[in-house]
Amino acid sequence: MRPPVILITSGRTPGALSMQRQQSALYGACIAAAGGAGVLSSGGAADVLAARCDGLLLAGGGDLHPARYGQAVKHDRLSIDPVRDEEEQSLFEAFFRCGKPILGICRGVQAINVFLGGTLRQHIDRHDGCCHKVRCVPQLSSLVGAAPLVNSYHHQALDTIASSLHAAAWAPDNTIEAVRHESAPVLGVQWHPERMAPPLCDDAAGTDHLPLFRWLCERC
């Protein structure tokens, strides 16, 4: 049996001759350690990619344009790429229609919430460049524990949760740190589990979040 193929969304940065695609190699390493094979998305028809790949990883990166959730830009720190927003929404909708599993990480959990009708807080303090504990609901604690230590690299957060999602983890200040879909295989976390998967990377000593990648691969 072949390993499940997971499509990893990518960021875009200007290059000398053309737009460049990039993403952390840790995503592919964690997917491989979980029994899958990661492939980096560089564009293409969403329906074709959803038909050929078994699961979708909405990776970390910059900020979604506030127009996606009905707001104007209110903060000068936003790093916006409308082309990536459009591409990822098309991919999310295509994989979701197929009933294929989707894991969102950092930007990815925010994207899941927005694509399903939720909103974001455009800026929050004290969540960028630190570690803290989160309290998890049973469906998530079975993967990472009831109160794991997590890294934190975000300056935005979920606000109104989409009606089809349920909060699955909270920071000590009650910021929502994870969501799960009520019926579909869709899960999102605000932290970066690819950086808490020893021996590949160990941001938060004593934690192992590779089970989140196993969750994705096992549902393919």
Side-chain angles (χ1 to χ4, degrees):
M1 180 181 297
R2 71 170 177 84
V5 176
I6 307 299
L7 187 70
I8 306 166
T9 60
S10 60
R12 301 180 341 123
T13 57
L17 299 178
S18 65
M19 185 68 70
Q20 304 294 303
R21 294 280 184 160
Q22 65 176 14
Q23 199 49 272
S24 170
L26 287 171
Y27 291 120
C30 286
I31 289 170
V39 295
L40 190 66
S41 174
S42 60
D47 288 341
V48 173
L49 292 167
R52 296 292 297 272
C53 298
D54 303 302
L56 176 65
L57 193 156
L58 292 170
D63 305 309
L64 283 89
H65 197 294
R68 292 270 162 186
Y69 46 96
Q71 296 181 16
V73 175
K74 299 177 182 177
H75 200 278
D76 60 8
R77 186 177 168 180
L78 269 61
S79 174
I80 295 169
D81 182 353
V83 173
R84 182 176 181 182
D85 295 348
E86 180 66 29
E87 180 179 275
E88 289 190 337
Q89 181 156 9
S90 295
L91 287 170
F92 175 84
E93 291 173 351
F95 278 80
F96 189 79
R97 283 194 300 270
C98 294
K100 294 185 175 182
I102 300 169
L103 175 64
I105 292 175
C106 199
R107 169 194 163 94
V109 69
Q110 297 170 9
I112 288 170
N113 188 49
V114 168
F115 297 160
L116 290 173
T119 65
L120 303 179
R121 297 162 64 187
Q122 290 190 33
H123 182 75
I124 62 172
D125 294 319
R126 299 184 297 276
H127 279 262
D128 190 0
C130 62
C131 289
H132 58 74
K133 287 193 172 184
V134 296
R135 64 183 192 279
C136 300
V137 300
Q139 293 88 342
L140 185 56
S141 65
S142 64
L143 298 174
V144 298
L149 184 69
V150 302
N151 55 27
S152 189
Y153 296 109
H154 61 104
H155 81 103
Q156 294 195 314
L158 306 189
D159 191 8
T160 302
I161 301 300
S163 60
S164 59
L165 297 175
H166 299 291
W170 297 262
D173 64 1
N174 289 322
T175 298
I176 296 170
E177 291 276 331
V179 293
R180 61 181 182 86
H181 195 272
E182 61 186 7
S183 58
V186 176
L187 176 65
V189 298
Q190 187 62 75
W191 58 90
H192 280 265
E194 80 282 4
R195 297 193 57 83
M196 296 184 290
L200 297 171
C201 193
D202 194 11
D203 268 5
T207 63
D208 182 6
H209 289 247
L210 190 65
L212 290 168
F213 296 93
R214 294 196 188 100
W215 174 92
L216 177 61
C217 292
E218 288 170 358
R219 277 155 184 76
C220 291

